[in-house]
Amino acid sequence: MSLTAGIVGLPNVGKSTLFNAITKKNILAANYPFATIDPNVGVVTVPDNRVEVLENMYIPERTIPTTYEFTDIAGLVKGASTGEGLGNKFLSHIRQVDAVVEVVRCFDDDNIIHVDGNVDPIRDIEVINVELVLSDLEIIMTRINRIGKKAMTTKDKNDLKEVELLERIRDALEKNIPVRKLGLTEDEKKIISSFNLITLKPIIYALNVGENDVINGNNYTNLVCDYAQKEGSETVIICAKLESELAELNDDDKEIFLNDLGIKQSGLDALIHSTYKLLGLATFFTVGPDEVRAWTFHKGMKAPECAGIIHSDFERGFIKAEVMSYDDLVSAGSEVKVKENGKLRIEGKDYVMQDGDICHFRFNV
């Protein structure tokens, strides 16, 4: 299951520094706008202590954690929806991601130029969000103009239904309301799925602060947290500079460093977990002497669908799933004990998978 979170923000807010830390890649992070011209994609591992525990239990030949992609997208400026800066190139890149991570500058530094001359995180957020709304509005208006007359002439039920939905979205966007706030049904989302509307995507604000503000934040982060709470969005406080330093350390040294700072987990780990949650994702496992592997699935998926993530034949010929929970396995100490305790379950096609399920799928094709 390929999933992508796009990192966006105004120029010089710390996007590329954050991306460097996430992927440990040395991309250009310069002190001027548009240092990132083409989207940079990096695969990140989702931190999960359960994988290490299972690895120690099974001693497999290989261990594969679950991953997803972060894409660093060039800095956006006011007027992007009408072609300013990198304009539509930026917007086309962001349309391809599953979730948006909007990096917001919440630190003062005279050595790092702000594109608008001073630090104002709420203004920065609204500059970006307005451009995203305007870009989506243009797509919706184009579609209404194309299909509206046809629908009125033919009275086709599907076309009329689409026009009604498009007009509702248009009215919301004109009031600066993102599409994700409209509570669209799954059927409605399918109707507009080909448009890849940016404001339909879930969003999380990554508040980039100085090292001294990592734990408690500052006045800037307080403003953004209040703003995000009112619109129902998530926030994570992070210091991109600190994360860049942490990325150079091994796991043991990283843990010592964090403990010295009085921090339980790095900002990156918090961001990754929050993005994972934002996308409605969970993890199931397959285990054995050959391989321990974590698999990403959408909450609410049934056993055959999850089997299909491993291989399409598994879903097509699904018979049953042998399932035990991670907690039951760790508590019992071994699969044998899980069976003796009556905690190994046989689940059928209607079983809704749960985070932490350890599965063996039976199939026949």
Side-chain angles (χ1 to χ4, degrees):
M1 181 180 291
S2 178
L3 295 159
T4 305
I7 304 176
V8 304
L10 293 174
N12 297 344
V13 297
K15 291 188 306 83
S16 295
T17 302
L18 178 60
F19 181 81
N20 286 347
I22 287 175
T23 62
K24 297 183 181 179
K25 287 187 176 181
N26 186 29
I27 63 168
L28 180 62
N31 181 24
Y32 53 88
F34 314 129
T36 310
I37 302 302
D38 294 314
N40 295 270
V41 179
V43 178
V44 300
T45 298
V46 179
D48 193 332
N49 293 332
R50 296 175 297 183
V51 174
E52 185 177 352
V53 172
L54 292 172
E55 182 180 28
N56 291 333
M57 291 183 72
Y58 286 89
I59 318 295
E61 293 182 8
R62 61 184 178 274
T63 300
I64 305 175
T66 189
T67 61
Y68 65 93
E69 293 179 352
F70 269 100
T71 301
D72 180 35
I73 300 171
L76 178 146
V77 295
K78 187 175 182 179
S81 59
T82 57
E84 290 295 324
L86 295 177
N88 293 326
K89 187 174 184 180
F90 165 93
L91 295 166
S92 66
H93 290 152
I94 195 176
R95 289 194 185 284
Q96 307 309 313
V97 305
D98 299 294
V100 177
V101 177
E102 188 170 323
V103 182
V104 184
R105 178 169 171 173
C106 292
F107 66 90
D108 291 307
D109 189 334
D110 293 338
N111 295 317
I112 300 178
I113 303 166
H114 191 288
V115 69
D116 286 324
N118 67 307
V119 178
D120 184 341
I122 302 302
R123 176 202 59 207
D124 293 353
I125 288 173
E126 291 182 341
V127 165
I128 288 182
N129 290 355
V130 165
E131 294 303 324
L132 302 185
V133 163
L134 290 174
S135 178
D136 280 353
L137 183 58
E138 181 181 359
I139 287 178
I140 293 299
M141 292 301 296
T142 300
R143 180 60 178 172
I144 289 175
N145 292 335
R146 182 174 300 168
I147 196 175
K149 292 180 181 178
K150 174 189 172 186
M152 293 302 293
T153 302
T154 64
K155 302 298 182 182
D156 180 86
K157 289 183 179 180
N158 290 331
D159 287 346
L160 288 171
K161 185 177 180 181
E162 181 181 344
V163 170
E164 181 183 359
L165 174 60
L166 293 173
E167 289 178 342
R168 179 151 62 96
I169 293 172
R170 176 201 62 196
D171 293 344
L173 292 172
E174 287 179 342
K175 296 174 183 175
N176 203 28
I177 299 172
V179 181
R180 62 179 171 274
K181 299 301 178 187
L182 299 183
L184 300 185
T185 65
E186 290 303 314
D187 286 341
E188 288 173 331
K189 289 178 181 178
K190 287 180 182 178
I191 292 173
I192 60 172
S193 61
S194 63
F195 305 143
N196 286 326
L197 297 178
I198 304 173
T199 65
L200 181 59
K201 302 177 189 298
I203 189 168
I204 185 169
Y205 297 110
L207 313 184
N208 189 15
V209 300
E211 294 182 31
N212 295 330
D213 297 323
V214 172
I215 298 177
N216 297 318
N218 55 36
N219 291 334
Y220 293 137
T221 61
N222 292 339
L223 288 171
V224 179
C225 287
D226 288 342
Y227 180 96
Q229 186 176 18
K230 289 176 183 176
E231 71 167 24
S233 299
E234 298 289 326
T235 60
V236 171
I237 294 176
I238 193 167
C239 174
K241 181 181 178 182
L242 178 62
E243 297 299 330
S244 184
E245 295 172 3
L246 284 170
E248 301 300 323
L249 303 177
N250 61 40
D251 289 341
D252 290 338
D253 289 341
K254 178 180 173 181
E255 184 175 355
I256 293 171
F257 191 16
L258 290 173
N259 287 335
D260 289 343
L261 293 172
I263 302 173
K264 291 183 179 180
Q265 67 173 340
S266 74
L268 282 184
D269 286 354
L271 178 61
I272 292 170
H273 283 140
S274 295
T275 309
Y276 205 67
K277 179 182 176 182
L278 189 70
L279 288 168
L281 305 177
T283 304
F284 74 89
F285 304 95
T286 52
V287 297
D290 294 333
E291 179 182 274
V292 164
R293 183 161 183 169
W295 302 86
T296 298
F297 70 100
H298 283 284
K299 292 178 181 178
M301 289 178 68
K302 294 183 178 180
E305 295 174 285
C306 288
I309 293 173
I310 299 175
H311 197 287
S312 59
D313 285 349
F314 284 25
E315 181 175 8
R316 186 159 55 91
F318 180 89
I319 299 173
K320 63 183 179 180
E322 297 176 4
V323 183
M324 58 181 169
S325 76
Y326 169 84
D327 290 339
D328 286 341
L329 175 61
V330 172
S331 177
S334 70
E335 282 190 39
V336 173
K337 289 293 184 181
V338 171
K339 292 178 182 177
E340 291 177 355
N341 294 340
K343 294 295 181 70
L344 181 67
R345 312 186 309 275
I346 304 299
E347 302 289 359
K349 294 182 178 181
D350 292 329
Y351 175 67
V352 177
M353 293 283 285
Q354 301 298 309
D355 183 61
D357 278 349
I358 299 172
C359 304
H360 179 66
F361 295 107
R362 299 290 185 183
F363 72 102
N364 183 32
V365 290

